[in-house]
Amino acid sequence: MYRSTLELRGMSRVSAPLIKNILLLDSEGKRVAVKYFSDDWPNLASKLAFEKSVFTKTQRISARAEAEIGMFDGYVVVYKFISDLHFYVTGGDEENELILATVLQGFFDAVGLLLRSNVEKKTVLENLDLVLLCLDEIVDGGIILECDASVIAGRVAMRGAEADVPLSEQTISQALATAKEHLARNWAL
């Protein structure tokens, strides 16, 4: 069983659910934003194969109103579609589907809040930094940190506000990310 085990002072071990990956694919099954938390897919080829497999098996299902749950390749996958985007959360075969669905809904709603309900591929790509920050706020190392969309969106908004720090006060990686963002904005104009 692939679960995180926490040992608390004076208490028995507590088992926490683990997320294997969170995928955001477009209507053609291509990556928009993905994050893997497991070594079950050791290389890019195996990750792309899993993404293609899951997309192919779910593309004809209408999962727009509510999340759907399925077993694919020995994993529990919870998914939901909106516009031209497909949201997926994957857990091991013994994970609780309701917990996975809660993570999916938190991600789905947080993206909706941050993008002001304009959740479509073009808008997500324009705000990819916010979507990736959402993933960081929801799960770390496979362990669920937060599922409340308003809390996730609030934390992402606070982290995004920190990006307005002058270049002279940024680390090299922050400066490169800022430069890349400015270049992308100017290129789009």
Side-chain angles (χ1 to χ4, degrees):
M1 180 152 70
Y2 300 101
R3 290 183 167 257
S4 174
T5 305
L6 307 170
E7 194 166 328
L8 304 173
R9 275 186 263 161
M11 300 181 76
S12 62
R13 293 176 177 236
V14 177
S15 183
L18 283 179
I19 303 298
K20 299 285 187 176
N21 63 44
I22 299 178
L23 311 173
L24 180 54
L25 307 177
D26 67 11
S27 58
E28 298 173 359
K30 293 188 173 41
R31 290 177 158 200
V32 176
V34 299
K35 190 145 187 184
Y36 283 81
F37 308 102
S38 167
D39 293 332
D40 293 4
W41 304 275
N43 55 41
L44 180 61
S46 62
K47 291 174 183 175
L48 292 172
F50 177 77
E51 293 163 20
K52 181 178 180 181
S53 172
V54 168
F55 177 79
T56 302
K57 292 174 184 174
T58 61
Q59 70 179 351
R60 290 181 171 59
I61 299 171
S62 177
R64 298 203 182 272
E66 293 193 25
E68 295 287 331
I69 301 168
M71 282 290 286
F72 303 110
D73 302 327
Y75 298 97
V76 176
V77 180
V78 182
Y79 53 97
K80 187 172 184 174
F81 310 149
I82 186 171
S83 184
D84 55 353
L85 294 171
H86 297 214
F87 291 74
Y88 299 89
V89 173
T90 306
D93 62 350
E94 295 181 12
E95 292 300 342
N96 184 323
E97 297 89 1
L98 294 174
I99 292 174
L100 298 176
T102 302
V103 172
L104 174 71
Q105 195 64 46
F107 179 44
F108 185 86
D109 290 345
V111 169
L113 286 170
L114 288 164
L115 302 181
R116 297 188 171 114
S117 299
N118 189 17
V119 183
E120 57 185 30
K121 182 180 176 181
K122 180 181 184 243
T123 312
V124 167
L125 290 173
E126 290 170 353
N127 296 282
L128 191 57
D129 56 337
L130 298 177
V131 174
L132 294 173
L133 284 172
C134 271
L135 292 174
D136 290 341
E137 291 295 332
I138 296 168
V139 177
D140 184 23
I143 298 173
I144 302 165
L145 301 175
E146 185 62 64
C147 292
D148 185 329
S150 59
V151 172
I152 296 164
R155 288 180 182 166
V156 168
M158 284 188 335
R159 286 175 71 177
E162 293 171 1
D164 294 334
V165 176
L167 278 174
S168 61
E169 296 177 23
Q170 294 181 359
T171 65
I172 291 175
S173 59
Q174 289 172 324
L176 286 173
T178 302
K180 181 180 173 185
E181 182 179 322
H182 287 280
L183 181 64
R185 284 185 190 158
N186 292 333
W187 187 263
L189 298 175

